[in-house]
Amino acid sequence: MAKHPAGWGVALLHNKRWLLPLLVALSVSTALAFILRAAFDSSCDRHHFEVPKTRFHPATGTGAGAAAPSPLGFMKSKHVLLVSHELSLSGGPLLLMELAFLLRGVGAEVCWITNQKPSERDEVLHSLEHKMLGRGVQVLSAKGQEAVDRALKADLVVLNTAVAGKWLGAVLKENVPRVLPKVLWWIHEMRGHYFKMEYLKHLPMVAGAMIDSHVTAEYWKNRTQERLKIKMPQTYVVHLGNSKELMDVAEDNVAKRVLREHVRESLGVTNEDIVFALINSVSRGKGQDLFLRAFYESLQLIQEQKLQVPSLHAVIVGSDITAQTKFESELRDFVAQKKIQNRVHFVNKTLTVAPYLAAIDVLVQNSQARGECFGRITIEAMAFQLPVLGTSAGGTTEIVVNGSTGLLHPIGKEGVTPLAKNIVKLATHVERRLTMGKRGYERVKSMFLERHMAHRIDAVLKEVLRKAKNQHS
C-alpha cells in the first residue's frame, strides 16, 4: 500500500535543520502548521492539531510595501454579531472566522455565537474559540439574555449557513422582528435537505442574503419558491478570495520547490512523476470514487495507445484513518482490486493544503450533484499555477474557464470517461498543463484575492447597514 505521509514534518526538521528558518521566512503560518500538526498527531488528522496562530492574521506593514487600507474601514466601532451553526474546521465556520478577523482588523466590535456545540469537550472548538478570544472576538453562549441583548444592540447580525436560522426563533423569540432588518444571511449550501421551514421561515424578512456563486444564488431563488413558497430577500453574490498568506507561499518558488520535494518523498513519488490530486473531505458527494475509476481508465488508455508518459499517481487528501467510513473502505477496496496501490495515495484530512498544492501537478475537483457552492480549493490550486479538472457544475463553472485554465467534465458516471481522457490530455501535453496553470494564476490575481473579496463584502455591508438604518428611522 502507498505510504502515508504521517509525521513527515517532524522527520524533516530533525534531518534538515536549515529548513525551519527558510519556511519561517516564506510563510510563518505554513511552517507553524507543519510543526504543530506533526507534534499533535503523526497521522496528520486535522481534528487533532492546534490551529496555527497566524493562519488568519491580516497583512500589516508600513512604507511603500505596506498593504492598502481595508475597504472595510467604515466598519470601525460598529457592533457585529456573528452566528454560526457550528464551530469546526469545515468551510463555513472558517469563512465566518475570516470575516470576524477582517472586521476586528478595522476596529469593529465583534461577538461570536456557536449555536450547536457538542455535549463533551471538543478540542477543535476549544482551540478555535481560543484563537478568536486572542484576536479580540468575544465568544458568547448561544442562549440567554446576553445573546438577546447583543443581537438587539448590534448594527449587523450575520447568520452563517441555512441551519443557523433555527437560532433566531429559539433564542430571540418575540425580539425576532426587531433584529431581522439588520440580518445578513451568508449561505453556502447546495443540498436540497436544507430547504426546511424550521431553518428558513425568517429568510424573506432579513436585510439580505450573501451567497458564494451565481449558480447557487439562482438555485436558492428557484428552490425556495418551488419548495417552500417563499421569496428570497435581496441576494448578493460574493466570490471568495485567497489569503495573503497562501499567496505568499504560492508565489515563492524556493518554498514550493522545498515543499514539493519533501511531500513527494513522503509519498514515494519522484519529481518526474505526474500527480493528480483530489483535496476534499472523503464522501460520495465529492466524487472520489468516480475520480479513481477515471484514473484507472486513464492508465488503461495510456497502455492501449502505447503512450510514452511519466508514471501517473492519484492522491486523495481528506481521508480519515481513525474513523474509516464504508465509502472510504470501498475506495481502498477498488484500489486493491485494480492492483494500483503503488499509484494511489490516501492522505489524512488536514487544514494545511499548501504543501500538497506545491507537490502536485493537477487538481481534480470532482464534486457531484449540483457541485460546489464555490469550491475554495479550486482558486487555491490556481494560485499555485495548477490546471483544474472539474465537474461542469456549481461554482466551479464560475472559476474554471474550460479549455483555458482547466478542463470540465459532466457529473455522474457519464463523466468518468471524459475525465479519464482529460487526465491523459494533461499527462501527455506538458505545455498545455503549464499554460493552463499560468492562466489560472492570472485569473486568481485579477479576481480571487482576499482584497477582491473584501471589496465585494464592503459593498454588501454598506447596503445592509443602509437598509437597517432606514428601517430603524
Side-chain angles (χ1 to χ4, degrees):
M1 196 60 150
K3 293 190 297 181
H4 296 286
W8 68 272
V10 169
L12 182 57
L13 292 176
H14 282 303
N15 298 329
K16 308 271 187 177
R17 293 190 179 275
W18 53 267
L19 185 60
L20 181 57
L22 172 63
L23 287 176
V24 172
L26 65 95
S27 171
V28 174
S29 61
T30 303
L32 282 174
F34 295 163
I35 299 168
L36 289 169
R37 181 181 61 187
F40 272 73
D41 188 347
S42 63
S43 70
C44 305
D45 185 343
R46 71 187 277 185
H47 288 298
H48 293 90
F49 73 90
E50 184 177 349
V51 177
K53 293 182 180 178
T54 57
R55 175 174 173 79
F56 300 102
H57 283 196
T60 57
T62 57
S70 171
L72 296 172
F74 72 96
M75 291 296 293
K76 182 178 180 180
S77 301
K78 298 289 186 184
H79 293 266
V80 182
L81 177 63
L82 307 178
V83 182
S84 183
H85 73 290
E86 66 173 7
L87 183 54
S88 68
L89 296 179
S90 57
L94 293 180
L95 276 173
L96 194 64
M97 284 183 68
E98 288 187 33
L99 177 60
F101 297 150
L102 284 173
L103 292 172
R104 281 296 300 140
V106 298
E109 297 293 324
V110 182
C111 295
W112 177 287
I113 284 176
T114 302
N115 191 37
Q116 299 175 4
K117 289 186 177 182
S119 55
E120 298 180 358
R121 177 183 171 89
D122 183 281
E123 290 301 328
V124 170
L125 186 147
H126 176 75
S127 180
L128 292 174
E129 285 188 340
H130 181 72
K131 300 308 174 221
M132 286 194 284
L133 290 169
R135 295 291 306 281
V137 177
Q138 300 177 58
V139 178
L140 308 178
S141 170
K143 301 177 182 179
Q145 190 59 42
E146 185 178 18
V148 176
D149 292 342
R150 293 290 180 148
L152 293 172
K153 181 181 179 182
D155 299 292
L156 173 71
V157 177
V158 180
L159 293 184
N160 197 44
T161 76
V163 184
K166 294 177 68 174
W167 177 84
L168 289 169
V171 176
L172 299 184
K173 297 184 173 65
E174 69 274 7
N175 292 298
V176 169
R178 297 173 60 187
V179 175
L180 289 179
K182 51 188 178 181
V183 169
L184 175 65
W185 208 321
W186 199 358
I187 295 172
H188 314 285
E189 295 92 341
M190 278 283 276
R191 301 291 180 263
H193 61 269
Y194 291 106
F195 290 87
K196 298 179 180 179
M197 286 302 291
E198 62 177 307
Y199 301 153
L200 304 175
K201 63 182 179 181
H202 298 297
L203 180 59
M205 287 82 77
V206 302
M210 186 163 69
I211 299 181
D212 304 334
S213 66
H214 293 281
V215 66
T216 307
E218 187 66 21
Y219 171 67
W220 270 79
K221 176 184 175 181
N222 295 333
R223 190 77 176 205
T224 50
Q225 177 63 44
E226 294 168 3
R227 187 163 179 172
L228 301 178
K229 308 302 179 186
I230 62 175
K231 185 178 179 181
M232 286 289 290
Q234 178 69 46
T235 301
Y236 310 89
V237 173
V238 174
H239 284 153
L240 308 181
N242 285 331
S243 69
K244 181 181 183 299
E245 286 79 10
L246 182 125
M247 294 303 299
D248 285 345
V249 181
E251 294 175 335
D252 190 318
N253 290 328
V254 175
K256 288 194 294 184
R257 186 173 68 249
V258 171
L259 295 173
R260 178 181 175 91
E261 290 174 357
H262 288 280
V263 171
R264 283 181 170 241
E265 181 182 352
S266 73
L267 293 171
V269 175
T270 71
N271 190 54
E272 293 74 28
D273 295 339
I274 304 175
V275 180
F276 295 79
L278 197 160
I279 304 175
N280 222 322
S281 57
V282 173
S283 67
R284 204 170 299 278
K286 302 302 182 182
Q288 285 90 354
D289 54 341
L290 300 178
F291 165 49
L292 289 179
R293 292 182 186 280
F295 179 73
Y296 176 70
E297 190 172 315
S298 72
L299 297 178
Q300 290 181 307
L301 290 173
I302 289 170
Q303 186 176 12
E304 291 169 3
Q305 299 174 24
K306 298 180 180 179
L307 301 174
Q308 298 298 313
V309 295
S311 179
L312 269 58
H313 291 259
V315 178
I316 304 292
V317 180
S319 180
D320 191 343
I321 297 172
T322 61
Q324 197 173 118
T325 63
K326 179 183 177 182
F327 178 67
E328 185 170 335
S329 297
E330 292 174 5
L331 299 181
R332 294 175 183 268
D333 289 343
F334 175 83
V335 170
Q337 290 167 8
K338 299 301 182 182
K339 295 181 170 55
I340 52 175
Q341 297 96 319
N342 62 329
R343 302 263 196 165
V344 178
H345 313 264
F346 291 92
V347 176
N348 228 27
K349 50 192 172 183
T350 176
L351 189 62
T352 313
V353 298
Y356 300 102
L357 294 176
I360 67 176
D361 299 293
V362 180
L363 179 81
V364 178
Q365 174 62 282
N366 204 41
S367 294
Q368 299 298 304
R370 298 175 187 88
E372 293 285 338
C373 179
F374 182 78
R376 198 173 198 176
I377 188 64
T378 306
I379 60 171
E380 291 174 334
M382 289 163 63
F384 279 77
Q385 300 192 33
L386 299 175
V388 178
L389 299 181
T391 45
S392 185
T396 302
T397 60
E398 297 175 26
I399 303 171
V400 178
V401 179
N402 192 30
S404 177
T405 67
L407 298 170
L408 300 178
H409 58 273
I411 59 171
K413 295 178 181 178
E414 295 77 12
V416 170
T417 296
L419 174 55
K421 291 179 178 179
N422 288 342
I423 290 173
V424 174
K425 284 179 185 177
L426 294 192
T428 54
H429 294 85
V430 179
E431 277 305 313
R432 178 181 290 183
R433 256 194 349 256
L434 296 177
T435 300
M436 284 184 168
K438 289 176 182 176
R439 288 174 180 164
Y441 169 76
E442 291 166 359
R443 186 165 169 80
V444 164
K445 292 287 282 187
S446 67
M447 297 179 63
F448 298 120
L449 297 178
E450 188 177 82
R451 61 183 172 85
H452 298 131
M453 182 173 120
H455 277 287
R456 290 187 279 262
I457 291 177
D458 158 73
V460 175
L461 297 191
K462 283 179 178 175
E463 178 67 12
V464 170
L465 288 176
R466 182 190 65 79
K467 287 183 180 180
K469 184 177 180 181
N470 290 343
Q471 186 82 9
H472 181 71
S473 60

